[in-house]
Amino acid sequence: MKILDFGSLNLDHFYSVDHIVEPGETEDTLAIETLSGGKGLNQAVAIAKAGLKVQIAGCIGQDGEMLREVCRQYGVDDSLLRTVPGLTGNTVIQLDKNGQNSILLYGGANRAVDRAYVDEVLAQFGEGDYLVLQNEISELPYIIDEAYARGMKIVLNPSPFDDRLGACDMGKVTVFMVNEVEGEQLSGSEDPYRILDAMEEKYPKAHIVLTLGKRGSVYRYRGMTVPQEAFPVEAIDTTGAGDTFTGYFLAGFTAITGEVTKKAIKKVMERASRASAITCTRKGAALAIPTAAEVDASMR
Ligand code: ADP
């Protein structure tokens, strides 16, 4: 079984400022830092740190070589990653002294994913391999259809939730990873158990993982419900919590052989919950995600 994460890679430019700039104003920046980002990259890093072999596919621009380095640093196989003309996807993030932020997103190379590239990548995978997707790249509906036709198991984190998802055949998804906001948008309900009921009715064959921030998470599959509390921590930055949960959930889930039992899922959820709680105690995304050894140590 192979794991492919086909998704976004970004350069996130953090500008520390006194206040978020007003229309027409020019403001001096106190500090600037560029970090790796993009849900595709963050989830691939989480999967690798959780101890699985993972390949990443996606597009970066000529300015994105640093992102290949990040992949290599964390053991994500970048051999399918494509460098295209133009700019890497990027964000400009203003962070003010009160911790408020405002973000400009430029899709860049993430929108350069085309069908010929998708075909080339998916030709390397087949029956039983896992495909991890988010909603930050072009050609998502095509990727889902083609991967499904090859017998791949599709894991979808429908984030950000927008109109483009309407073109995707979500009936082909094996595992949904959704947070409260996405769950509400998918189901029209705010109540976690109503979200799960509505999603299960729409997608009766799918495994559904709903994360609820510091209220924990819930798993649902064919009428089986497994709730998991969040681990209490002093959270300083929850960026990457959901991506960490995804990585650790998949590491546990793909290791289940045979029937998916309540007991097996409980163990998987508990570990994902511990890992994502650790992420919340650290700044940043990829950097903040704990390794399997760190999660083991926290369980002792
Ligand atoms: P996302 O980052 O996608 O919005 P959530 O906020 O739901 O996802 O967080 C994912 C998981 O991370 C939660 O289910 C929980 O296990 C953990 N988590 C999030 N925030 C906290 C927190 N403040 N304290 C402890 N764990 C947290």
Side-chain angles (χ1 to χ4, degrees):
M1 177 211 57
K2 294 196 273 186
I3 301 181
L4 169 68
D5 177 337
F6 207 143
S8 58
L9 301 97
N10 285 337
L11 292 170
D12 291 335
H13 304 295
F14 289 87
Y15 291 80
S16 299
V17 292
D18 174 78
H19 58 274
I20 289 168
V21 74
E22 304 282 344
E25 185 192 16
T26 300
E27 184 187 355
D28 255 338
T29 302
L30 305 170
I32 172 168
E33 189 176 18
T34 296
L35 296 174
S36 65
K39 286 194 163 286
L41 179 58
N42 290 345
Q43 291 179 14
V45 168
I47 294 167
K49 282 190 167 181
L52 290 184
K53 271 194 169 193
V54 57
Q55 284 181 277
I56 191 167
C59 295
I60 54 173
Q62 259 104 13
D63 59 340
E65 284 307 304
M66 157 206 172
L67 297 172
R68 280 190 191 273
E69 287 306 313
V70 171
C71 290
R72 288 172 195 169
Q73 183 186 343
Y74 296 116
V76 173
D77 181 334
D78 69 325
S79 56
L80 294 172
L81 204 60
R82 175 176 277 192
T83 302
V84 298
L87 292 177
T88 299
N90 66 69
T91 58
V92 172
I93 305 171
Q94 297 181 52
L95 269 179
D96 79 7
K97 57 180 189 247
N98 302 318
Q100 287 274 85
N101 64 32
S102 84
I103 305 176
L104 279 174
L105 169 68
Y106 176 65
N110 294 315
R111 306 270 190 264
V113 171
D114 60 21
R115 293 185 177 197
Y117 173 55
V118 172
D119 292 344
E120 211 176 285
V121 169
L122 294 184
Q124 314 283 323
F125 299 88
E127 188 82 35
D129 290 336
Y130 276 81
L131 173 64
V132 183
L133 298 169
Q134 315 80 23
N135 184 31
E136 292 186 332
I137 55 172
S138 44
E139 294 295 353
L140 193 64
Y142 183 73
I143 297 173
I144 291 175
D145 290 346
E146 290 300 304
Y148 186 80
R150 288 176 179 279
M152 292 182 81
K153 292 181 177 158
I154 299 168
V155 179
L156 176 67
N157 170 213
S159 171
F161 196 95
D162 62 26
D163 292 345
R164 289 178 304 160
L165 285 169
C168 295
D169 184 353
M170 296 209 233
K172 293 176 176 170
V173 171
T174 305
V175 182
F176 283 99
M177 304 289 317
V178 296
N179 67 13
E180 258 175 312
V181 179
E182 294 138 17
E184 185 182 337
Q185 284 161 316
L186 267 165
S187 67
S189 178
E190 280 180 35
D191 177 77
Y193 286 91
R194 289 229 182 98
I195 292 173
L196 292 170
D197 290 346
M199 284 188 67
E200 192 179 16
E201 202 177 311
K202 260 195 204 166
Y203 313 111
K205 285 182 292 185
H207 301 258
I208 303 159
V209 180
L210 173 65
T211 63
L212 305 162
K214 61 172 177 241
R215 289 191 293 134
S217 48
V218 195
Y219 166 92
R220 170 72 67 84
Y221 177 60
R222 294 188 192 265
M224 174 168 80
T225 303
V226 183
Q228 171 64 47
E229 284 177 5
F231 282 85
V233 288
E234 192 87 39
I236 59 160
D237 178 6
T238 59
T239 311
D243 296 333
T244 305
F245 201 99
T246 296
Y248 274 84
F249 178 82
L250 287 179
F253 186 75
T254 55
I256 296 176
T257 49
E259 211 190 322
V260 179
T261 62
K262 219 170 193 168
K263 194 172 157 210
I265 286 292
K266 184 71 190 160
K267 259 177 94 176
V268 174
M269 295 288 280
E270 196 177 301
R271 192 167 163 81
S273 176
R274 275 194 190 267
S276 48
I278 296 174
T279 297
C280 296
T281 64
R282 303 170 174 174
K283 279 210 160 136
L287 200 67
I289 301 167
T291 59
E294 288 171 323
V295 179
D296 290 341
S298 86
M299 289 176 101
R300 267 178 232 128

